Amino acid sequence: MSKKLGFRKALETKVKKSQVAAKKKAISIFTAMSVAHVDEEEAGSGEVRHVEKVLPRGDFYIGEWCDGLPHGNGKYLWTDGCMYVGGWFKGKIMGKGKFCWPSGATYEGEFKSGFMDGQGTFTGFSGDSYKGSWVMNLKHGQGIKNYFNGDYYEGEWRTGFQEGEGRYQWTNGIHYDGQWKNGLMNGNGRMEWSDGNSYEGCWEDGFPKGNGTFRWPDGSSYVGVWSKDVKEMNGTYNPSDSSTEKPDWDPQVVFSEYLKECKICPGEKMSILPSKKMPHWPGMGKGNDQGRPRRMSDGKLNCHSFSSDMHDVSAISEGDSKDDDDGIESLCLEDSTSRGSLPHFKTPTKRQGQTISKGHKNYELMLNLQLGIRHSVGRPGPVISLDLKSSAFDPKEKVWTKFPPEGSKHTPPHQSSDFRWKDYCPLVFRTLRKLFDVDAADYMISICGDDALRELSSPGKSGSFFYLTNDDKYMIKTIKKAEVKVLLRMLPAYYNHVRSFENTLVTKFYGLHCVKLTGTAQKKVRFVIMGNLLCTHYTIHRRFDLKGSSHGRTTSKPESEIDPSTTLKDLDLNYLFRLEKTWFEEFCRQVDRDCDFLEQERIMDYSLLVGFHFREVPTPLASGAVTPTGNADHENEEVPRLSQTGQDQLDSEPSGGSSIRLGISMPARIEKTVRKPECETQLVGEPTGVFYDVILFFGIIDILQDYDITKKLEHAYKSMQYDPTSISAVDPKQYSKRFRDFIFKIFVEDT
């Protein structure tokens, strides 16, 4: 313990000394120079020149300059001692460069828009180092990490954690080769100790779990099922040729003793990310003739043009971001002299859907649903095993429960009318919830808590109604008997698919139920509970439902009524989605796997739901602004500046790390596209070169429509009126091919 304290004190002393030295160096540089302005000896438009500038807050820039912004190679010094030397592009840190912290830590490698992105090496002040691939400040891809305590890891990373195949070597000689997940041994792997003992088999959350073999150097072994829970563990000792007696050895000693010194080192954390230090320049993206509006003391927006003087930088730098804190929805102004083609976002006046309160026509149905869920989820059951018997998937495997108003032995009294409740394949859906890491208590609170459900304003095209839980986590959809049959038919294949591919994009199903009202009506309401793909703390600014067909695939709303809650369609799409290389490769693989699965199950008419949050704040202009379906002159479009709120949200993600997954909270770029006026059914527009940073969400939805006789008749009828390739109702094989072809055109690798 005393050694650790001594080491920590030594590090703290080293950091303080380096920070003092860095600040002294910065002060000596700054005091020796006078403040220069951009407009002194102003060069012509597009001309690159060399400048030396001290900024009003004390920061210092020396390097190449073009159109009022750093452009080319340059050095930027912050007053706190941070320094960046390397490439710039139109005011953004871009290309190869080196960032130095006051502590002495450095990152040298590739940058994109201020983020460590590409190949690079981080060297910490404590002796930590990482060399490999980065994505948006996170270790992602292949990389080698040397820890300050002498440990070593080489292998795959995902969103800042070891994930995939990799080797970890401890200083005491122990090493592990195998699979990882979220920074822990997970999957199949082999650990060998310095004394020659080894364990090879399954791991879960850093410990042996499942089938595995422990071997001694003399050739003897213990083979069995491993678990920290003694009750679950069992196995057989196999002596070697040289030994015949079973040793006095308890396999639990592996958990209590052998793994004690196999802790994964947390590593050194960066004091501040380079992207948080990114300077904000006036007029970024439009030259220096016009900038963002600034809010005056009376709260009104002042829409003057920025001067090119560097003293304007202080109004929009890190320390003064009042405009940005209001968020994207609060900005709305008029400027008769400006044009822009960014969407004019409306402020959402209320949450989506209508609260189902007393007096609502479906109030009793909601109460029945909540009572049923509370009963079925809260009912005690056997220990869940992911290996299910085929009998669990039998469509006849269902449980009926009576709910009389006065209550019964198994059900509580309630204020609703008498009803019966049916659970379809309860063990399968209970296991699916475990597989999807859904806590039973949280699940019940979300659906059955004090807060009422919300009914979406209108039923879907199929006539189904949708309900959202108050926390937006879960969506409840009423479905037809035919859809129930489809889900039960494909349930075994669905279970195997989602178990095999944890990053699958297909809808997550958590429960399948039915409410049967007693009385003369004998009405049955069947519904499925699903995950809400767009449940996030980010505001979803645009959402698209994409199928790859053109007939009827445009929104029916007039342009004036389109807002962030509007679900747009294929012919409304005017963006390309650009994913980083490793994300793109995984996306392509997963779309192929999911489409193969749906094609084999004879499913069609599914779509890719895409929602995104602009990480940059656009300035919506009333004059010349167009809706997402329109096309304007993009050359004079204002490139939005990164909002402090959005930046803080993204920069806080690395600490969580695991919240970013394929299709969930993914940092990405989108590129604006335009369609040719003469081609009304053109699905993919022409790229314009205008890019925005976004947080992206996507998944495959509506996967319960099989190609039955109804769809075959629809296909035959519509084929006589329209181009057969443009309609939704086509054979599953043709549908899958068309869907993939379209998706792989609008999702591309970000080069």
Side-chain angles (χ1 to χ4, degrees), residues 124-145:
F125 69 87
S126 64
D128 252 18
S129 70
Y130 169 82
K131 182 178 182 180
S133 181
W134 298 76
V135 174
M136 303 292 283
N137 291 334
L138 298 171
K139 304 176 190 74
H140 190 90
Q142 287 289 334
I144 300 172
K145 173 86 173 180

Side-chain angles (χ1 to χ4, degrees), residues 313-435:
V313 173
S314 63
I316 54 171
S317 62
E318 291 178 46
D320 185 7
S321 56
K322 292 181 181 178
D323 290 358
D324 298 325
D325 292 340
D326 293 334
I328 192 169
E329 295 86 356
S330 65
L331 290 174
C332 185
L333 59 126
E334 295 184 5
D335 185 347
S336 59
T337 62
S338 304
R339 290 182 299 163
S341 56
L342 280 165
H344 188 160
F345 294 110
K346 297 179 179 180
T347 305
T349 54
K350 59 180 181 179
R351 299 178 72 187
Q352 223 178 339
Q354 178 189 1
T355 301
I356 305 176
S357 53
K358 202 162 188 176
H360 190 284
K361 64 178 181 179
N362 288 325
Y363 179 69
E364 281 202 356
L365 178 63
M366 182 192 74
L367 292 181
N368 297 346
L369 187 154
Q370 291 178 322
L371 284 164
I373 293 291
R374 191 180 289 115
H375 171 75
S376 60
V377 177
R379 184 173 55 224
V383 176
I384 297 176
S385 169
L386 297 181
D387 297 316
L388 295 175
K389 295 179 180 178
S390 58
S391 59
F393 297 93
D394 190 333
K396 297 178 182 178
E397 188 68 19
K398 44 198 171 190
V399 179
W400 278 103
T401 306
K402 291 182 179 180
F403 279 82
E406 66 275 11
S408 68
K409 184 179 178 180
H410 303 289
T411 62
H414 57 86
Q415 298 176 352
S416 183
S417 57
D418 190 13
F419 71 96
R420 295 181 71 196
W421 171 267
K422 185 196 287 188
D423 279 321
Y424 295 90
C425 297
L427 182 58
V428 176
F429 286 102
R430 186 173 178 175
T431 310
L432 280 170
R433 292 194 293 271
K434 177 180 171 62
L435 194 64

Side-chain angles (χ1 to χ4, degrees), residues 271-283:
S271 57
I272 188 167
L273 297 168
S275 53
K276 290 282 282 185
K277 301 293 293 180
M278 184 98 162
H280 296 151
W281 308 93

